[in-house]
Each structure stands twice: as structure tokens, then as C-alpha cells.
Amino acid sequence: MIEAVIFDLDGVLVSTDEQHYQAWKRLAREEEIPFDRAVNESLRGISRMASLDIILEKAERQYEPATKKELAKRKNNLYVQLIQRLTPADMLPGAMSNLAELKAAGIRVAVGSSSRNTGEILSRIGLSGYFDAVADGNDITHSKPDPEVFLVAMNRLGQTPEQCLVVEDAEAGVEAALAAGMRVLGVGAAASSKKATHTVASLAHFSILQWIQELDKA
Ligand code: BG6
Ligand code: MG
């Protein structure tokens, strides 16, 4: 029986793809490193430092660890400025209705995100204090596809992997959920995932509750 749903944040509950892209693009331009939307796409679900390492693969020079830390900080400062403008209207279609429907049915809801800005984003979209548990980039040492963030969320909920469903838009996140022993619904960019338990283009016009009730019957 599924008793809890762990939602990824960026790309599942809220649309922050453009803000991440703009911040990385500006940093890459300042450092004269080639960067485009295809590279940005490969950063989905990946932690800030691991994302930077991917971007620096195209750099002509080598970066010392201290310089890399400074670059990551610069990107984050740009990103944090951009997310100041987030409002509840930036929630993705179907996210709020699914959360409310699950909660009303007694299913516990949690966030499992690689982002260290999770608290700030949840507050901007009006969801601080809404979830039964939140696990984010500040709680973990291993980024998706490692299962750590979902296991932290699960432990905070007091559930087992079989009782948890993950909702993810990143292939790295789909792999993380499976590695945690959980079932996973792929949405958005993960709608073409071959590994997810089930996929759907968007949460709009899709009822997670109805789907898990069918899963539990099967
Ligand atoms: C994930 C995003 O949710 O969080 C990634 O999909 C991002 O693109 C990662 O790199 C880390 O985010 P932050 O906010 O800690 O830089
Ligand atoms: Mg995501």
C-alpha cells in the first residue's frame, strides 16, 4: 500500500528551470565557457557542485577547488535573486490540486529535492509548513541518482520504501527513487523515462490518488 508521496521540487511542483538556466548561462558567459540549453538539460536533478563540474568539462582551463566554490556561490547568488520573484502562480499545473487531493485522502506528502534553496522556494510559493516531511540538498552528502534524499524523507515520515511513491522530472531522480526501492511516477522531462513505474506528461488532468489506488488493487 502506498501511504506517502515524495515530490521532487524543481520541475515537479514549481517551474524553476528557466531561473537555473539563466543563472548558469550568465556564469558561463562570464567565464567564457560554452553553455546551452542541452547542457542545462543534463543538470536536471543534479546538485549545484556536480552541475558545475559538468559545465566545467567544456572549460579550457582547470579550476582549483576554492575557485569552484566561488563559482558555485556566484551562480547561486544570481539564482537566488531570480527566485525572489516566484509566487504561488509559479507552481506547475496540477501540482496543488494533487497535493490537496492526496492530503484529504490521508496520504502523507513530502519533498525530496537536491536543492539547497528548497526552504526559500517553498516559502515563495506559499507551501512552508505544508508537508509532512522535507528532505533537501542541505540534508545529504550524495546527490541523485543516489537514493539518499528520498531515504531521508522516508525516515522522517516513518515509512518503508514500499509505502512510498516518488514523483520526479529528472532521470537521475527516477534512478534515485528506484535505488531507494520506491515506485516512481515520471513527469515532464522524465515522461519518456523507460525506467519509471509509470509516466505522464504533466500532473495537470492526472490524479496521483486515483492511480495509486489502482496500483494498490493490482
Ligand atoms: C535540483 C535541480 O532540483 O536542484 C538542479 O533540478 C539543481 O538543476 C539542484 O542544480 C540544486 O539546486 P540548488 O538550488 O541547491 O542550487
Ligand atoms: Mg526536478
Side-chain angles (χ1 to χ4, degrees), residues 8-12 17 44-45 113 144 167-170:
D8 173 50
L9 178 67
D10 297 301
V12 171
D17 287 3
R44 209 174 267 283
S113 168
K144 299 170 187 178
V167 187
E168 257 296 344
D169 72 312

Short mmCIF file of all heavy atoms in Angstrom, two decimals, residues 8-12 17 44-45 113 144 167-170, ligand 2:
data_model
loop_
_atom_site.label_atom_id
_atom_site.label_comp_id
_atom_site.label_asym_id
_atom_site.label_seq_id
_atom_site.Cartn_x
_atom_site.Cartn_y
_atom_site.Cartn_z
N ASP A 8 9.60 15.53 -5.87
CA ASP A 8 10.74 16.38 -6.21
C ASP A 8 10.18 17.80 -6.30
O ASP A 8 8.98 18.00 -6.47
CB ASP A 8 11.31 15.92 -7.56
CG ASP A 8 12.38 16.86 -8.06
OD1 ASP A 8 13.29 17.19 -7.30
OD2 ASP A 8 12.27 17.30 -9.23
N LEU A 9 11.05 18.80 -6.15
CA LEU A 9 10.56 20.19 -6.14
C LEU A 9 10.66 20.84 -7.53
O LEU A 9 9.66 21.10 -8.19
CB LEU A 9 11.36 20.99 -5.11
CG LEU A 9 11.02 22.48 -4.98
CD1 LEU A 9 9.61 22.68 -4.40
CD2 LEU A 9 12.04 23.18 -4.06
N ASP A 10 11.92 21.11 -7.97
CA ASP A 10 12.15 21.80 -9.24
C ASP A 10 11.68 20.95 -10.41
O ASP A 10 12.14 19.83 -10.59
CB ASP A 10 13.66 22.10 -9.42
CG ASP A 10 14.20 23.04 -8.36
OD1 ASP A 10 13.69 24.16 -8.25
OD2 ASP A 10 15.15 22.65 -7.64
N GLY A 11 10.76 21.47 -11.19
CA GLY A 11 10.28 20.74 -12.37
C GLY A 11 9.11 19.81 -12.09
O GLY A 11 8.58 19.19 -13.00
N VAL A 12 8.74 19.68 -10.80
CA VAL A 12 7.58 18.85 -10.45
C VAL A 12 6.50 19.71 -9.78
O VAL A 12 5.35 19.74 -10.20
CB VAL A 12 7.97 17.66 -9.55
CG1 VAL A 12 6.74 16.94 -9.01
CG2 VAL A 12 8.83 16.67 -10.35
N ASP A 17 13.13 25.94 -13.92
CA ASP A 17 14.10 25.57 -14.96
C ASP A 17 14.75 26.81 -15.57
O ASP A 17 15.96 26.86 -15.78
CB ASP A 17 13.40 24.82 -16.11
CG ASP A 17 13.02 23.41 -15.71
OD1 ASP A 17 13.24 23.04 -14.55
OD2 ASP A 17 12.50 22.69 -16.58
N ARG A 44 19.52 18.52 -14.73
CA ARG A 44 18.26 18.29 -14.04
C ARG A 44 18.45 17.31 -12.88
O ARG A 44 18.94 16.20 -13.08
CB ARG A 44 17.28 17.72 -15.06
CG ARG A 44 15.85 18.01 -14.83
CD ARG A 44 15.03 17.50 -15.98
NE ARG A 44 14.81 18.52 -16.99
CZ ARG A 44 13.95 19.53 -16.88
NH1 ARG A 44 13.22 19.66 -15.79
NH2 ARG A 44 13.82 20.40 -17.84
N GLY A 45 18.07 17.72 -11.68
CA GLY A 45 18.13 16.84 -10.52
C GLY A 45 19.50 16.72 -9.88
O GLY A 45 19.65 16.13 -8.82
N SER A 113 14.26 16.90 -2.53
CA SER A 113 14.89 17.72 -3.56
C SER A 113 16.38 17.87 -3.33
O SER A 113 16.83 17.97 -2.20
CB SER A 113 14.25 19.12 -3.55
OG SER A 113 15.00 20.01 -4.34
N LYS A 144 21.28 12.83 -6.12
CA LYS A 144 20.63 11.92 -7.07
C LYS A 144 21.59 11.66 -8.22
O LYS A 144 22.28 12.59 -8.61
CB LYS A 144 19.34 12.55 -7.62
CG LYS A 144 18.28 12.85 -6.54
CD LYS A 144 17.15 13.69 -7.11
CE LYS A 144 16.20 14.13 -6.00
NZ LYS A 144 15.11 15.00 -6.49
N VAL A 167 7.61 11.28 -7.12
CA VAL A 167 7.23 11.95 -8.37
C VAL A 167 8.44 12.77 -8.82
O VAL A 167 8.93 13.62 -8.06
CB VAL A 167 6.00 12.87 -8.19
CG1 VAL A 167 5.55 13.41 -9.55
CG2 VAL A 167 4.85 12.12 -7.51
N GLU A 168 8.94 12.49 -10.01
CA GLU A 168 10.22 13.05 -10.48
C GLU A 168 10.16 13.54 -11.93
O GLU A 168 9.47 12.94 -12.75
CB GLU A 168 11.29 11.95 -10.42
CG GLU A 168 12.25 12.06 -9.28
CD GLU A 168 13.13 13.30 -9.28
OE1 GLU A 168 13.25 13.97 -10.32
OE2 GLU A 168 13.74 13.58 -8.24
N ASP A 169 10.94 14.59 -12.23
CA ASP A 169 11.06 15.05 -13.63
C ASP A 169 12.46 14.79 -14.18
O ASP A 169 12.72 15.11 -15.34
CB ASP A 169 10.77 16.56 -13.74
CG ASP A 169 11.89 17.38 -13.15
OD1 ASP A 169 12.34 17.07 -12.02
OD2 ASP A 169 12.36 18.32 -13.82
N ALA A 170 13.36 14.23 -13.36
CA ALA A 170 14.74 14.01 -13.80
C ALA A 170 15.04 12.53 -13.86
O ALA A 170 14.64 11.78 -12.96
CB ALA A 170 15.72 14.68 -12.82
MG MG B 2 13.45 18.13 -10.61
#
